[in-house]
Amino acid sequence: MFENRLFGTNGIRGLANVELTPEFALKVAAAIGTFFEAGKIVVGCDGRTSSPMLKSAVISRLTSTGCRVYDAGMVPTPALQYAVRAYGMDGGVMITASHNPPEYNGVKVMASDGVELPRELEMEVERIFFEDGFRRAEWSSVGDVLKLPGVLETYAEAVMKHVDRDAISSARPKVVVDAGNGVSALVYPSILGRLGCRVVAINSNVDGRFPGRPPEPRPENLTALSSAVKFEGADLGVAYDGDGDRAIFSDERGVIHWGDRSFALVEKAFLSENPGEVVVTPVSSSKVVEDVASEYGGKVLWTKVGSVTVSRTMLRVGAKLGGEENGGVFYGPHQPVRDGAMTTALILEILAKEGRRLSEMLEELPKYCQLKDKVPCPEELKQPVLEELRRRVSGARVETLDGVKVWFDDGSWILVRPSGTEPIYRLYAEASTEERVAQVVEEFKQILSEIISSVKS
Ligand code: MG
């Protein structure tokens, strides 16, 4: 691991104190600090057991390169990203492994616009890392370490100003919030309370062992949320991932919905008020995103999979809205990054203004059956397999923006792409019936396995 690359799809990730040791964090911070050339850097961390250990190492080595460090403490990732811009920083570093299991940790690096570094700048940091050409400041210009209090409050105010607080507080919705023992517990429930919701918080103590549930808000991990919504008679349930950038919703019946459906609701409301706008989403998202866009006069811009690509594309084309199937909504007027609290506030505003149930509103959206699967594939075979796959596929429409996406005449589709972080191929498919989606996935699993064994020999 980390032999010639540091960054995966979302920053640097590894097993805490095994791969991501303090020594390794020192070296990563040496490269980051050299890259930022004695700039002002805000540093924050999530609530993982290894986060203070890694944060200390990162801060130490950043100041050694001459950077001035502002310590934001324990904060959700979107709050750290907001602070980078709000306080005029040159960059930001967040110690987090997002939704990964408790034994992991990671490092995300933000540019001065609060968005993670684009790939070409990540490569610059990697080049510095592997060349060992680190800055070391003179004794007189070693950086300071200053506390940066108030990051959570600045962030909370920013989120709240983008929604109609009067509408939400008049509706007084009852909301069950499941922070999953993650760092969002520090501020998201209080934001919802201040917006006028009646809040019931579960798993709301920050605990790096994640005793309540795994940090990834997948439907199978959210049975406690679902039960609590029913038991409390709540209007809405929401669960966040470990660092609070993704939000997954439960309707009032306790049914958990995937992120591209809640995103489609936000998209519908947004396009109703801003017709003609561009909406950015990765090729793995449901066709519902396109259906809503064509009905409400918007245009979808499809990107490669990865939140940084969505953010960077939004900035490049001036788009105000982006979204992912995993529960990431990017609301440009606030900040063009995934933001769990902003997403929740937008959904609450929609419910309040419409005065209807979440289940009803989701029911009105075009419905598709989705299926995800994976096929093991050794790292070194990924590229030749992809080339062979591209040669073989046929369909009504084939797209090769990221992996291979095949559209069929009946409107169903499958996306087959090599994972950026694991030795597997990921398959995402969508069709109008369960049978059809299963059939498409089965067919492509077979094609893929055939290609893998033929390329091997
Ligand atoms: Mg996350």
Side-chain angles (χ1 to χ4, degrees):
M1 199 163 182
F2 304 128
E3 274 149 23
N4 44 33
R5 287 268 320 256
L6 288 178
F7 293 90
T9 317
N10 275 109
I12 302 166
R13 296 275 170 88
L15 285 166
N17 225 8
V18 178
E19 295 156 337
L20 232 61
T21 57
E23 295 85 344
F24 179 80
L26 285 169
K27 198 173 165 192
V28 166
I32 296 168
T34 303
F35 172 80
F36 281 110
E37 297 181 340
K40 295 189 292 178
I41 311 292
V42 56
V43 178
C45 69
D46 69 13
R48 286 169 191 266
T49 54
S50 57
S51 289
M53 169 187 87
L54 294 170
K55 194 179 86 172
S56 306
V58 165
I59 289 177
S60 166
R61 195 61 179 92
L62 284 175
T63 56
S64 155
T65 64
C67 286
R68 169 178 269 202
V69 171
Y70 292 81
D71 183 356
M74 211 191 272
V75 290
T77 297
L80 188 283
Q81 294 180 297
Y82 190 79
V84 172
R85 274 193 313 147
Y87 297 97
M89 298 286 165
D90 297 303
V93 177
M94 179 73 190
I95 311 298
T96 181
S98 185
H99 62 276
N100 288 157
E103 60 273 25
Y104 283 82
N105 215 325
V107 180
K108 289 183 182 180
V109 186
M110 269 42 96
S112 59
D113 56 11
V115 179
E116 282 177 71
L117 294 183
R119 182 66 199 133
E120 62 273 19
L121 295 185
E122 282 182 355
M123 283 165 73
E124 179 62 18
V125 174
E126 283 170 347
R127 188 189 59 73
I128 299 168
F129 181 93
F130 291 108
E131 282 179 5
D132 249 337
F134 306 127
R135 282 175 78 115
R136 208 174 272 282
E138 294 277 333
W139 67 271
S140 54
S141 49
V142 164
D144 304 320
V145 183
L146 304 163
K147 288 267 179 253
L148 188 63
V151 167
L152 294 178
E153 180 53 28
T154 303
Y155 168 76
E157 290 288 346
V159 169
M160 291 188 293
K161 82 171 186 246
H162 288 286
V163 289
D164 186 339
R165 290 172 78 159
D166 293 338
I168 298 171
S169 57
S170 318
R172 264 182 76 67
K174 189 173 198 182
V175 185
V176 180
V177 182
D178 177 3
N181 305 110
V183 76
S184 60
L186 295 177
V187 63
Y188 294 7
S190 94
I191 291 175
L192 302 190
R194 288 165 70 183
L195 286 172
C197 301
R198 293 168 291 154
V199 175
V200 178
I202 64 171
N203 299 322
S204 62
N205 54 319
V206 178
D207 186 330
R209 290 170 185 81
F210 297 97
R213 63 163 168 89
E216 183 163 23
R218 302 180 59 81
E220 61 268 30
N221 295 338
L222 304 181
T223 48
L225 175 68
S226 175
S227 312
V229 165
K230 286 184 274 187
F231 180 80
E232 293 286 347
D235 301 293
L236 183 71
V238 58
Y240 304 109
D241 75 325
D243 65 334
D245 55 359
R246 286 161 49 183
I248 290 289
F249 296 92
S250 158
D251 67 27
E252 76 288 350
R253 302 164 308 174
V255 177
I256 310 288
H257 296 272
W258 263 116
D260 34 18
R261 299 194 66 78
S262 42
F263 171 54
L265 269 195
V266 174
E267 181 193 9
K268 184 173 163 181
F270 172 78
L271 288 175
S272 303
E273 286 182 14
N274 306 274
E277 285 285 343
V278 170
V279 175
V280 181
T281 200
V283 285
S284 51
S285 292
S286 169
K287 187 169 175 292
V288 72
V289 177
E290 194 165 71
D291 297 342
V292 168
S294 54
E295 192 175 341
Y296 293 89
K299 189 178 171 309
V300 176
L301 182 55
W302 300 94
T303 68
K304 285 178 186 266
V305 175
S307 69
V308 188
T309 309
V310 174
S311 295
R312 291 281 161 210
T313 304
M314 286 176 68
L315 287 171
R316 184 166 53 78
V317 304
K320 298 194 187 80
L321 187 68
E324 294 177 320
E325 39 77 45
N326 60 17
V329 172
F330 309 61
Y331 188 59
H334 168 53
Q335 56 177 351
V337 297
R338 302 192 283 211
D339 187 318
M342 189 69 247
T343 308
T344 315
L346 290 169
I347 291 283
L348 285 166
E349 184 184 46
I350 293 166
L351 292 177
K353 284 185 166 173
E354 296 269 333
R356 296 164 64 208
R357 295 299 203 177
L358 182 63
S359 62
E360 274 175 57
M361 298 186 61
L362 288 171
E363 200 59 49
E364 287 170 4
L365 296 171
K367 196 156 168 42
Y368 298 103
C369 300
Q370 288 168 314
L371 197 58
K372 294 180 199 176
D373 212 325
K374 52 191 171 188
V375 172
C377 176
E379 205 58 47
E380 65 279 9
L381 297 185
K382 278 180 177 174
Q383 196 51 38
V385 165
L386 188 60
E387 284 160 21
E388 180 56 26
L389 183 65
R390 281 178 183 166
R391 271 194 290 273
R392 279 215 213 168
V393 289
S394 63
R397 206 162 103 206
V398 177
E399 291 165 7
T400 53
L401 181 59
D402 193 355
V404 173
K405 187 172 184 178
V406 183
W407 290 85
F408 302 96
D409 289 331
D410 64 353
S412 51
W413 58 265
I414 184 161
L415 170 69
V416 182
R417 58 179 289 272
S419 161
T421 48
E422 293 170 66
I424 53 169
Y425 258 87
R426 292 189 191 282
L427 293 86
Y428 311 70
E430 190 173 78
S432 50
T433 64
E434 301 282 352
E435 297 74 40
R436 175 66 178 143
V437 76
Q439 182 200 358
V440 169
V441 167
E442 212 36 61
E443 187 189 332
F444 272 79
K445 277 177 82 172
Q446 214 147 54
I447 295 176
L448 204 53
S449 306
E450 268 170 42
I451 295 178
I452 292 170
S453 48
S454 76
V455 168
K456 247 185 209 161
S457 53

